[in-house]
Amino acid sequence: MLITKFVAPADEMADIGLQAISMDRLGKFIALTGKNGAGKSRILTKLNHYILQRNQYFPQIDGIHEGLVANKNAIATQPKSPHQTGWRNTVVQLELQVSFATERIVSATATLGVLPFVPKQLNLTDAKAFNKNQLQQHAEQAKNRGLAGFESMCFAYIEKTQERNWNASHQDAAQDLSEIAATKDSYTKLVSLIEELLKTKLGRSIDGDATLFNKPLAQTNLSDGQKVLIQLAVALHAQNGKLENTVFLLDEPENHLHPSALIEFLDALEQVAPNAQFWIATHSVPLLAHIANKEPMSIFYVEDGAIERGGNKPEKVLRGLLGNDAQIANLNKFSSLPAQYAALTYAAERYPSGRQHL
């Protein structure tokens, strides 16, 4: 697994209202849940910071250790040197770098990718707003890691990918057959991703425009959730080769997505990035249930800036999300309705006269 342990000392957490963090035995999924303001988003922000620090210092770890030895030897062998203060300050700095490289984030992977993966911008730019060169540039930018500015790249990428597929399908035999096959395969994968997440097929109008729901992309009046999903579908396709060894940070992805759509998206993300790790801050009970079904010990509960494993304390997790035992009872009662309905239907069909035969 990418990150097997995450440790953050109390003195580095106090400035953002968090307590010391010590999370170990981490798997593919780590779900952070708790009330609003508990500290979930701040934990993801701090994790992001520590991963970047680790990536900076881990490749230099041998040189950092050599510097530590040299400065400690100088301190020990030259006690009266005027450089003592400088050597001691350097030791403190190098020891902190060792800590960032090997102690805050524990992983067997040399360099970790880190990627916040829930788009916040929903004003998707019409590809017709770009000239030919701009369209190409925005489509290429979608291949860069991340989702920054993706609202302006999404439709451009779809249009350009479809255009390439159309051209490949109408080339003569003199063209590179392997390139044609790769282009067609890439487009097929994009169509499949969009269909899986949006439940509609990517089409093409008689005027050569890409369409969804039989309308040009910019005229589809997508809901906020669909706008998130179309960006994610395109990002998964465009960045597929850059998603390996990546830690995904999903901060309340349920804000714009229906629970079932959210679960389908997570499953799709897991499929295209099998060697990734997913850290998710969420209030969604259906999502937590889905993740717990994958990895029972993947749920962590955050309260007042402190974090503890919550997989073995589901009642505490539910009470934190729903408020009290009465609300939990209501949820249990509601979730049992399908079973009760099935039992009543079975009884009605088996005993239509209303009498049971003993």
Side-chain angles (χ1 to χ4, degrees):
M1 206 46 56
L2 293 186
I3 297 176
T4 57
K5 188 175 183 179
F6 174 35
V7 176
D11 60 333
E12 294 178 13
M13 299 292 103
D15 62 327
I16 56 172
L18 295 176
Q19 299 184 35
I21 296 173
S22 181
M23 303 170 65
D24 58 9
R25 295 175 293 143
L26 301 176
K28 190 177 187 68
F29 295 90
I30 299 93
L32 309 178
T33 190
K35 298 177 181 179
N36 284 328
K40 303 182 297 297
S41 298
R42 283 170 282 161
I43 290 173
L44 292 185
T45 299
K46 208 67 174 179
L47 175 67
N48 190 5
H49 168 73
Y50 282 136
I51 291 174
L52 296 177
Q53 291 287 90
R54 181 187 185 275
N55 287 346
Q56 177 181 351
Y57 296 119
F58 189 84
Q60 309 171 29
I61 192 64
D62 291 339
I64 294 172
H65 281 304
E66 291 174 2
L68 266 175
V69 171
N71 280 273
K72 288 181 177 180
N73 284 340
I75 291 171
T77 58
Q78 304 177 54
K80 297 183 179 180
S81 171
H83 300 295
Q84 279 282 328
T85 299
W87 290 333
R88 293 181 186 278
N89 289 338
T90 299
V91 166
V92 171
Q93 294 173 1
L94 293 176
E95 286 179 340
L96 184 60
Q97 292 175 12
V98 169
S99 181
F100 281 135
T102 63
E103 297 174 8
R104 302 289 190 275
I105 302 291
V106 177
S107 174
T109 303
T111 301
L112 298 170
V114 57
L115 183 56
F117 212 69
V118 178
K120 304 294 186 181
Q121 301 299 323
L122 302 179
N123 296 319
L124 306 184
T125 304
D126 187 350
K128 293 183 180 298
F130 305 123
N131 61 37
K132 184 177 180 179
N133 289 335
Q134 291 172 331
L135 187 70
Q136 178 66 35
Q137 291 172 359
H138 280 78
E140 287 298 316
Q141 289 172 3
K143 299 177 183 179
N144 297 330
R145 184 187 293 272
L147 287 172
F150 215 81
E151 67 280 0
S152 67
M153 309 172 203
C154 181
F155 287 165
Y157 182 86
I158 294 174
E159 292 283 3
K160 196 64 184 178
T161 304
Q162 187 179 82
E163 179 187 333
R164 283 179 55 81
N165 178 72
W166 178 264
N167 291 338
S169 301
H170 294 78
Q171 294 291 343
D172 58 43
Q175 299 298 315
D176 186 336
L177 295 181
S178 62
E179 183 179 358
I180 290 175
T183 299
K184 291 182 176 180
D185 180 64
S186 175
Y187 181 69
T188 298
K189 290 178 179 177
L190 177 61
V191 171
S192 296
L193 266 172
I194 291 175
E195 184 173 7
E196 181 177 358
L197 293 180
L198 273 78
K199 308 305 180 189
T200 189
K201 283 195 173 183
L202 178 63
R204 183 180 176 88
S205 74
I206 194 171
D207 295 318
D209 297 320
T211 62
L212 289 172
F213 304 103
N214 297 317
K215 294 181 179 180
L217 298 180
Q219 300 175 24
T220 51
N221 294 319
L222 299 175
S223 68
D224 285 354
Q226 289 171 324
K227 290 176 181 178
V228 170
L229 288 173
I230 192 68
Q231 290 184 75
L232 293 172
V234 172
L236 291 176
H237 185 270
Q239 301 176 31
N240 191 12
K242 299 181 180 180
L243 299 181
E244 293 299 291
N245 296 328
T246 295
V247 177
F248 290 91
L249 307 179
L250 292 88
D251 191 0
E252 298 187 3
E254 68 271 17
N255 281 349
H256 298 296
L257 297 177
H258 185 275
S260 62
L262 176 57
I263 289 170
E264 289 173 0
F265 157 66
L266 187 62
D267 287 344
L269 184 56
E270 181 184 7
Q271 184 175 3
V272 299
N275 295 323
Q277 189 176 45
F278 307 97
W279 290 68
I280 307 167
T282 183
H283 298 111
S284 171
V285 174
L287 179 59
L288 289 171
H290 182 69
I291 294 172
N293 185 58
K294 291 174 177 288
E295 294 183 8
M297 298 304 292
S298 61
I299 310 298
F300 288 81
Y301 186 69
V302 184
E303 186 175 29
D304 296 331
I307 186 168
E308 62 177 327
R309 197 178 293 272
N312 57 351
K313 301 176 182 177
E315 70 288 346
K316 184 172 184 177
V317 172
L318 288 175
R319 190 174 294 111
L321 294 176
L322 300 177
N324 54 45
D325 292 336
Q327 294 298 331
I328 295 173
N330 287 339
L331 176 64
N332 290 334
K333 183 178 179 180
F334 180 75
S335 62
S336 68
L337 288 178
Q340 294 177 23
Y341 177 76
L344 290 173
T345 301
Y346 172 80
E349 292 175 349
R350 185 170 178 82
Y351 308 113
S353 66
R355 295 181 179 178
Q356 295 186 7
H357 301 280
L358 300 177

